[in-house]
Amino acid sequence: THVVTENCIKCKFTDCVEVCPVDCFHEGPNFLVIDPESCIDCTLCVAECPVNAIFPEDDVPAGQENFLAINAELAPLWPVIDRKIPAPPDADEWDGVPNKLPLLER
Ligand code: F3S
């Protein structure tokens, strides 16, 4: 599976969802996750994310391994999103900000 990692938090650009052939993205208040049960590892979403938040599970950045469990936990709880929506107005300001995990809304 592929995994949405920390830099998506409060950026949530949603370009990724447009290319997903299996609609495996699920939308939370300020973050998206990939359903590991649905992802087919097509890799198309990786290049779409303007803040490089999506990685294959075996190449997640050091220190962000916990996002595998976060994606798996939240995907069943959140609705599928398959169309791009406007990003938060301050999304650009959150690109690359460290330690955003405490800001993840559930
Ligand atoms: Fe998040 Fe990037 Fe998609 S910011 S919503 S993983 S395009």
Side-chain angles (χ1 to χ4, degrees):
T1 187
H2 277 57
V3 181
V4 184
T5 62
E6 186 164 30
N7 207 28
C8 177
I9 297 170
K10 295 182 75 70
C11 285
K12 198 184 177 188
F13 282 99
T14 70
D15 299 84
C16 53
V17 309
E18 291 275 340
V19 297
C20 182
V22 293
D23 295 347
C24 70
F25 285 92
H26 294 248
E27 182 191 11
N30 64 4
F31 184 57
L32 259 55
V33 293
I34 289 172
D35 180 359
E37 303 284 334
S38 302
C39 177
I40 58 171
D41 286 325
C42 73
T43 77
L44 288 174
C45 59
V46 173
E48 296 301 313
C49 178
V51 299
N52 299 312
I54 305 175
F55 295 87
E57 64 178 324
D58 57 5
D59 199 22
V60 168
Q64 298 203 40
E65 296 85 356
N66 51 337
F67 278 87
L68 277 78
I70 290 170
N71 279 242
E73 174 198 346
L74 296 175
L77 304 180
W78 288 350
V80 167
I81 175 171
D82 61 2
R83 296 286 171 83
K84 181 173 169 60
I85 59 172
D90 59 350
D92 288 326
E93 298 167 29
W94 289 98
D95 178 13
V97 173
N99 304 318
K100 290 194 281 184
L101 183 53
L103 304 174
L104 172 59
E105 297 175 31
R106 292 166 181 258

